[in-house]
Amino acid sequence: MSPLTRRQMLALGAAGAGAAAVGGAGLWWTSGGGEALGGGRELVQPEVLSSRDGALDLALEAAPARVRIGARTAHVQAFNGSLPGPTLRVRPGDTLRVAMTNGLEAPTNLHVHGLHVSPEDNGDNPFVSIAPGDSFDYDFSLPDDHPPGTYWYHPHRHGHVADQLAAGLYGAIVVEDPDPVPVARERVLVVSDLTLDDSGNLAEVSPPQRMMGREGETVLVNGQVRPRAGAAPGERELWRVVNACPARYLRLTLDGQTLRLLGRDVGRLPEPVELTEVTLAPGNRVELLVDTREGASTLTAAPVDRGSMDGMMGGAMPGDGPGTDEPIELLTLEVTGDRAADAGPVPPGPVLRDLREEPVAARRTLDFAMGMGMGGMMGGMRGPGQMMSFTIDGRPFDAERTDQRVRVGTVEEWTLTNSSPMDHPMHLHVWPMQVVTEAGREVAAPRWLDVVNVPAFGEVTVRVAFDDFAGRTVYHCHILDHEDLGMMGTLEAR
Ligand code: C2O
Ligand code: CU
Ligand code: CU
């Protein structure tokens, strides 16, 4: 579709978006907390569990939990009682064994987002369902050449994914670099959002919020409201940022500091790239090198326009905007004291594989679309319970149906198109994607991601090397409300 059409759609949506911003009940709460809300406390790191002698064994329970968020007590759901859950540190070649227990009232399961591991049996199997009170033993074996990087885990039981993430169920996974970049310190920063009501319970989510993709009123870093971190000038830090929000995009800036991108989703770049801002779709991660300079800086998430539904609904809908239009302060970095010794140069990373140089075994197009479930779609808003349908190639998710069959060991080229007025960040399990063309242009250097944003009325072309594993798995929109509403497909490799 032409860009003009998109602009027209956005123009149609403008009235609705404005109304939503004014009506955003949680604005004061969103825009950063401050001391009264418990902001300004020292940043904490989630508990770290590291592998030993090639294995990490742990028990993980998903259960209701009471935690402190800012100045309030919140009733959330968490892994092992903490939000986020523990950080799991493993090495390429390790085995990660998780005895998972469901202490929730709904079915759940576990997904290791971004890990290149088998999707079968007790591996990263998205078709497992753990009933309330039951347990399941996961066993993930990482290949010896698994790319280092920042990954994460979260539940993946279809129909409950967005609710369970929004409730607090997520944690980071670090695959250590055999040749690590020397840094003064590393920080894991798990960014999430949630909405609490006056009694500290998770707020209800309306059908329009689900269709838009819910954005929580409170944005957290490691479960904290705008924490502070300290460093000395001249230090090099490694920040591992995870976007664990069910639908919120994060456009990150850190004023006054030099940021370099060390890695994105998977592996490490051949050399770090200096940047002033970086956008994470839901599910994305970045590894940032911060070379500290004296002064106070704020890690800020600027609003991102990811489209709207107004054009489809034939008019403004209350509460369908994606939240606030204000930038959100996530974290303050205070750099003071004596200058640290020079951190030295960053050793180069390995050369990235470039699938553009490899033969393509098959080409496919996948279309991400939204439409009215019943009746016409432009006829205006129906009842408040009316759900739009979210499809890939015109079909909602069906676990029994196999949508794509691929051959292990081949490279395919997939064109991801979006015929809807909202962005859809597409995620494929097990195998990372190399972005080949974007906005009609070739991408210069190899860019590897496991969540690729497909812009409203736009398209992206990716290549995937279906290496190492056979089995069935899924791909889906990582706006997790969309995934729960059906925007997911299945793939079988053999
Ligand atoms: Cu982060 Cu299929 O998930
Ligand atoms: Cu995933
Ligand atoms: Cu989507």
Side-chain angles (χ1 to χ4, degrees):
M1 223 173 270
S2 74
L4 185 67
T5 317
R6 172 161 197 219
R7 243 179 282 138
Q8 285 167 337
M9 291 303 245
L10 291 174
L12 272 170
V22 173
L27 227 72
W28 61 277
W29 172 249
T30 306
S31 43
E35 300 299 328
L37 288 162
R41 295 210 178 118
E42 205 56 42
L43 173 73
V44 292
Q45 288 294 293
E47 178 194 10
V48 179
L49 303 175
S50 302
S51 64
R52 259 203 267 147
D53 304 325
L56 174 58
D57 284 271
L58 69 140
L60 213 50
E61 188 189 22
R66 266 176 72 181
V67 296
R68 275 202 88 68
I69 291 181
R72 350 175 35 180
T73 301
H75 305 270
V76 299
Q77 296 174 357
F79 283 117
N80 294 359
S82 75
L83 183 162
T87 297
L88 313 181
R89 287 191 79 106
V90 294
R91 301 197 167 137
D94 281 355
T95 301
L96 169 61
R97 284 184 288 259
V98 182
M100 164 106 169
T101 304
N102 183 2
L104 307 170
E105 275 162 20
T108 191
N109 66 12
L110 186 68
H111 168 51
V112 283
H113 179 128
L115 290 192
H116 181 57
V117 293
S118 168
E120 294 205 289
D121 307 320
N122 292 52
D124 188 24
N125 184 340
F127 305 106
V128 164
S129 183
I130 311 173
D134 282 1
S135 297
F136 189 85
D137 292 326
Y138 285 97
D139 195 318
F140 311 105
S141 301
L142 280 65
D144 290 334
D145 60 352
H146 194 289
T150 305
Y151 303 90
W152 62 301
Y153 59 92
H154 62 79
H156 214 288
R157 173 59 166 75
H158 179 64
H160 301 272
V161 185
D163 284 344
Q164 293 182 1
L165 262 96
L169 293 163
Y170 37 76
I173 300 173
V174 172
V175 177
E176 282 171 26
D177 193 334
D179 185 17
V181 174
V183 291
R185 70 191 63 81
E186 262 188 55
R187 304 185 195 268
V188 164
L189 304 175
V190 179
V191 182
S192 63
D193 62 0
L194 85 185
T195 304
L196 297 170
D197 66 17
D198 292 339
S199 19
N201 294 312
L202 296 158
E204 289 287 325
V205 185
S206 69
Q209 284 168 333
R210 285 183 198 271
M211 290 187 282
M212 189 65 213
R214 71 187 76 183
E215 295 196 7
E217 287 175 2
T218 307
V219 183
L220 305 172
V221 177
N222 296 347
Q224 296 176 280
V225 179
R226 216 186 69 198
R228 61 167 294 281
E235 288 188 313
R236 178 187 296 147
E237 298 202 349
L238 169 57
W239 290 12
R240 301 176 180 274
V241 187
V242 179
N243 184 357
C245 300
R248 182 187 291 276
Y249 286 54
L250 302 168
R251 182 146 63 96
L252 301 178
T253 57
L254 183 65
D255 59 294
Q257 301 293 339
T258 306
L259 286 183
R260 284 185 294 167
L261 184 68
L262 180 68
R264 207 169 172 157
D265 284 6
V266 193
R268 170 174 156 194
L269 302 178
E271 58 183 322
V273 178
E274 197 169 318
L275 44 77
T276 50
E277 63 167 58
V278 61
T279 300
L280 285 79
N284 281 140
R285 291 87 58 211
V286 283
E287 299 189 337
L288 298 171
L289 293 175
V290 185
D291 295 292
T292 54
R293 274 197 221 148
E294 182 133 23
S297 304
T298 306
L299 181 68
T300 303
V304 175
D305 174 13
R306 57 182 179 90
S308 87
M309 296 189 307
D310 296 333
M312 306 201 71
M313 304 299 283
M317 288 181 60
D320 72 340
T324 171
D325 286 336
E326 300 287 309
I328 295 165
E329 297 183 349
L330 300 179
L331 167 89
T332 357
L333 176 69
E334 283 160 22
V335 182
T336 53
D338 295 336
R339 212 188 145 74
D342 199 325
V346 175
V351 174
L352 295 176
R353 182 175 177 184
D354 192 345
L355 298 182
R356 292 172 296 190
E357 294 159 1
E358 299 185 28
V360 169
R363 291 188 154 80
R364 324 172 181 243
T365 300
L366 276 67
D367 185 54
F368 290 71
M370 294 156 58
M372 270 301 175
M374 280 166 284
M377 86 175 198
M378 290 304 209
M381 194 188 155
R382 290 170 172 78
Q386 172 85 43
M387 279 293 180
M388 221 176 260
S389 65
F390 287 77
T391 58
I392 301 175
D393 294 332
R395 297 178 298 212
F397 177 65
D398 177 354
E400 303 303 318
R401 185 187 67 220
T402 298
D403 296 303
Q404 319 291 343
R405 291 172 204 276
V406 304
R407 278 211 103 46
V408 177
T410 62
V411 172
E412 294 205 358
E413 183 171 285
W414 289 17
T415 300
L416 312 172
T417 62
N418 181 349
S419 51
S420 80
M422 286 175 64
D423 289 14
H424 299 293
M426 191 273 200
H427 172 51
L428 170 65
H429 286 204
V430 184
W431 300 276
M433 300 172 273
Q434 181 186 345
V435 183
V436 173
T437 54
E438 197 181 50
R441 247 168 298 162
E442 286 246 348
V443 174
R447 188 194 298 160
W448 287 90
L449 293 171
D450 58 43
V451 179
V452 173
N453 192 52
V454 191
F457 299 125
E459 66 173 59
V460 177
T461 305
V462 299
R463 287 193 182 183
V464 185
F466 289 98
D467 288 338
D468 303 326
F469 303 107
R472 271 180 104 234
T473 190
V474 293
Y475 51 87
H476 58 91
C477 176
H478 218 289
I479 290 181
L480 295 169
D481 287 294
H482 294 176
E483 179 274 307
D484 283 331
L485 290 169
M487 199 172 256
M488 176 152 74
T490 62
L491 172 146
E492 181 170 14
R494 44 156 156 215

